Structure formats: structure tokens, C-alpha cells
Amino acid sequence: MLMDRIIGAYMFRKEVYAGVEKDESFTSTAWLLVAVFGFLSQLGGQAGVLAARGLAGWIIAAIVGTVFAVLGFALSAFVISFVGKTFFQADVNFDEVVRVLGLASVWQIVGFVGILSIVSAGLVCILSPLLIVAGILSLAAWLIAVKEALDLDWTKTIITVVIGFIVNWIILAIAGTILGVLGFGAAAALGGL
């Protein structure tokens, strides 16, 4: 059933998001998906740290990045829930937003391909467009997921998601700054976050 939902998320099937919105047992699974896909994405994104800081530095950078990614996700879900309820009178709660966005986070797995930059720094030129496309697809997944959870029209959904995405980007920028201060700046600057 989980694989069917993940495949449905990759296929942008809105009924999959509608199903997890109502499935209260999916909340812990959604958090797990965010953490696992976030960690795998961070492993790929922080691959540049491997050469500079070694295996331990790479893992530490990936863990720190994952913590911030999960925090950014949580804050984004809260903001999306708050904006939807407060400004657009959506009938939604935080857990429903977590469930749909947690499923939409499956697109983060594409970040793992960044690990190929270990083989050759030149692959970054090839991987960067792929990661940009994955980011756009991730935004599309968030839009579909939030539309299903909040039952708003597209304009209100877009406004709500953009606000949530901005919050997430701010958290990730803070994480990049912290990683830079800790000496992991090259990976953060190269798109590790």
C-alpha cells in the first residue's frame, strides 16, 4: 500500500493525496518519509563534503542538513495550515497537511543523484538541470497535495504553498549558513541544501 501511494505521488494522482489526508494512521509514515527522503537527498547534496572532510564529515553534514530539512518541513506545514485556516477558512489541521506534504516529499529522492559528483565534479553540470526539474516537480506535488488537503481554488492554493515554500527556503538558508560556519560551506554553496 505504501509503494502504491509513493507511485501515485510520482504520478501526481490527487486521489492518493485525498486518501492520505483522511488516513490518520499515515501521519507517522509521512514524518518517516520526510526524514528518510530528506537524509538521502542530503547525502547526495553533501557529497562534496566527502573529499574535503572525509566520511565522518559527510555523514555529519547530511545529518545536520536532514535535521534542518525536517524542521523546515514542519514549519512549512504549520504555516500552510495556518494560512489556509486563517486567511482562506480552509477546513484543515496540521496533521492533514503533514500527511499530504509528507507524501509529496518523495521527490526529494532525486537529490540523492548528487552523490554522482563524487565520481566527477564535471557531473555537476549534468546533474544541476535534473535537480532543478526535480525541484519544480516537487513544487507541483506540493500544490496538488495542498489543494487536496485545503480544498481551495488554485489561486489560494498557490498563494498558500508559495508562502510555505518561502518559509522552507529560509530554514534551508539558515542551515546552509550554519553548515558554512561549521566548515561545510562548499557543499552548501554547491546546492547541498
Side-chain angles (χ1 to χ4, degrees):
M1 177 132 179
L2 178 59
M3 282 309 295
D4 291 337
R5 286 177 165 172
I6 290 173
I7 291 168
Y10 282 123
M11 305 284 290
F12 299 105
R13 286 194 217 129
K14 64 181 184 176
E15 64 273 5
V16 173
Y17 292 111
V20 298
E21 175 195 3
K22 305 289 186 242
D23 184 359
E24 292 180 11
S25 69
F26 192 75
T27 304
S28 59
T29 303
W31 282 110
L32 183 63
L33 289 174
V34 169
V36 168
F37 287 130
F39 181 69
L40 291 172
S41 177
Q42 290 297 318
L43 281 175
Q46 300 293 342
V49 173
L50 185 60
R53 297 282 182 185
L55 183 62
W58 178 41
I59 299 298
I60 290 169
I63 291 170
V64 171
T66 301
V67 168
F68 276 99
V70 171
L71 288 173
F73 171 84
L75 190 55
S76 295
F78 173 78
V79 167
I80 287 170
S81 174
F82 176 79
V83 169
K85 284 192 299 192
T86 304
F87 297 107
F88 302 122
Q89 292 71 47
D91 183 22
V92 69
N93 64 47
F94 175 73
D95 285 340
E96 290 171 340
V97 174
V98 164
R99 289 191 291 269
V100 297
L101 288 182
L103 184 59
S105 74
V106 299
W107 284 99
Q108 287 186 347
I109 191 70
V110 177
F112 186 71
V113 300
I115 205 163
L116 295 175
S117 67
I118 293 170
V119 175
S120 169
L123 286 176
V124 172
C125 294
I126 296 169
L127 297 174
S128 293
L130 175 66
L131 296 173
I132 290 169
V133 169
I136 293 167
L137 293 173
S138 177
L139 175 60
W142 273 42
L143 287 167
I144 293 167
V146 170
K147 178 140 180 44
E148 286 305 306
L150 275 61
D151 299 314
L152 299 174
D153 65 45
W154 277 110
T155 303
K156 292 175 182 175
T157 299
I158 291 168
I159 291 167
T160 305
V161 169
V162 166
I163 292 169
F165 238 64
I166 290 170
V167 168
N168 200 4
W169 285 335
I170 290 169
I171 298 298
L172 293 177
I174 291 169
T177 302
I178 290 171
L179 286 172
V181 169
L182 293 174
F184 301 110
L190 292 174
L193 296 174

